[in-house]
Amino acid sequence: METEHPDPAESNRRRIIAAATRLLTENGREAVSTRAVGAAAGVQAPTIYRLFGDKQGLLDAVAAHGFASHIGEKAALELTGDPVEDLRRGWDFNTEYGLANPALYTLMYAQPSPGAPSPASAAALEILAAHIHRIAEAGRLRIDERRATHLVHAVGGGTTLSLIATPEDRRDMSVSHLAREAVIAAITTGAPASPPPRPAAAAVALQALLPRTGALTAGERALLTELLDRISAAPDEPA
């Protein structure tokens, strides 16, 4: 039986990312030069450029690797029947991870390019959006999903970065808790957790509430009423 040999390029890639992560953790971002990383990984600078393009490409790969590890740990948090409580637990986990890995967290979130979030930040937004969608499905979201996702992402990340920048003996963790509860109050209703309503029932409820809003034109209201009529009359799909 032939022994499979590891791909040299992939092996180099892993060693380089591990070396860069170690330098970042021990000495900060400024220590992650191509020369220092090459020496630590036992490769020449051209190998780094060939695999990552440039230093920023290497830093993006380090951030993506760190984020994958973060998500792997976060996956161990089992979802409960209350999506708002799950959001609360996820917020706390994110803060704890940032304080335990300050250099990596700062790399992942603190220096985005204008108009272009880092790969790690974009992946974090996707996962957060899924949590927010669960809250919306439960009928507990006060604002639209996109704004809720970006609000939680911005305030949660900013709070964690602020705590990282504060000397450990002066950190007040109640700041994170207050920020968390303020954001949750801003985006969710106070209704207790319950099974999400069926689409037909939700359509009927929205029809009943339409007279209370003046956000629609007469034509828009007529169109929405027609669509809600169709949803409320259709059989629900199995869960």
Side-chain angles (χ1 to χ4, degrees):
M1 180 178 180
E2 294 185 3
T3 301
E4 292 187 5
H5 296 286
D7 179 7
E10 182 60 27
S11 178
N12 283 337
R13 180 182 176 84
R14 291 177 182 175
R15 290 209 319 276
I16 291 167
I17 290 176
T21 301
R22 186 168 60 253
L23 288 169
L24 176 72
T25 301
E26 294 175 354
N27 301 302
R29 183 187 176 111
E30 295 304 316
V32 186
S33 66
T34 52
R35 177 177 296 181
V37 172
V43 301
Q44 299 297 316
T47 300
I48 297 177
Y49 293 122
R50 184 169 62 252
L51 291 173
F52 301 98
D54 55 17
K55 180 179 176 180
Q56 187 57 52
L58 172 58
L59 290 172
D60 285 344
V62 170
H65 179 76
F67 181 76
S69 174
H70 173 44
I71 291 305
E73 295 176 12
K74 194 171 184 178
L77 294 175
E78 295 184 3
L79 297 179
T80 70
D82 183 350
V84 176
E85 182 59 28
D86 289 338
L87 178 62
R88 185 176 281 113
R89 293 165 68 222
W91 177 296
D92 291 345
F93 181 83
N94 181 72
T95 301
E96 292 165 4
Y97 179 86
L99 295 178
N101 303 273
L104 184 56
Y105 191 92
T106 301
L107 175 63
M108 290 162 59
Y109 294 107
Q111 296 180 313
S113 300
S118 70
S121 183
L125 272 172
E126 288 184 10
I127 292 171
L128 176 57
H131 283 284
I132 297 298
H133 185 66
R134 289 183 63 231
I135 297 174
E137 286 183 324
R140 298 190 61 188
L141 197 61
R142 189 185 300 275
I143 63 177
D144 67 83
E145 293 183 40
R146 183 187 62 81
R147 284 192 297 162
T149 299
H150 283 276
L151 179 61
V152 174
H153 183 71
V155 179
T159 300
T160 301
L161 289 169
S162 177
L163 288 170
I164 288 173
T166 303
E168 191 169 353
D169 60 347
R170 292 169 51 195
R171 283 179 189 157
D172 181 359
M173 294 305 298
S174 69
V175 170
S176 179
H177 301 155
L178 288 168
R180 180 194 69 197
E181 294 309 308
V183 169
I184 288 176
I187 69 171
T188 68
T189 67
S194 60
R198 293 291 188 179
V204 171
L206 182 54
Q207 281 178 305
L209 293 171
L210 275 182
R212 299 188 187 181
T213 180
L216 303 177
T217 65
E220 290 169 339
R221 187 186 298 273
L223 176 59
L224 181 55
T225 299
E226 179 184 346
L227 295 174
L228 291 173
D229 282 340
R230 289 165 57 185
I231 295 172
S232 59
D236 288 332
E237 295 292 333

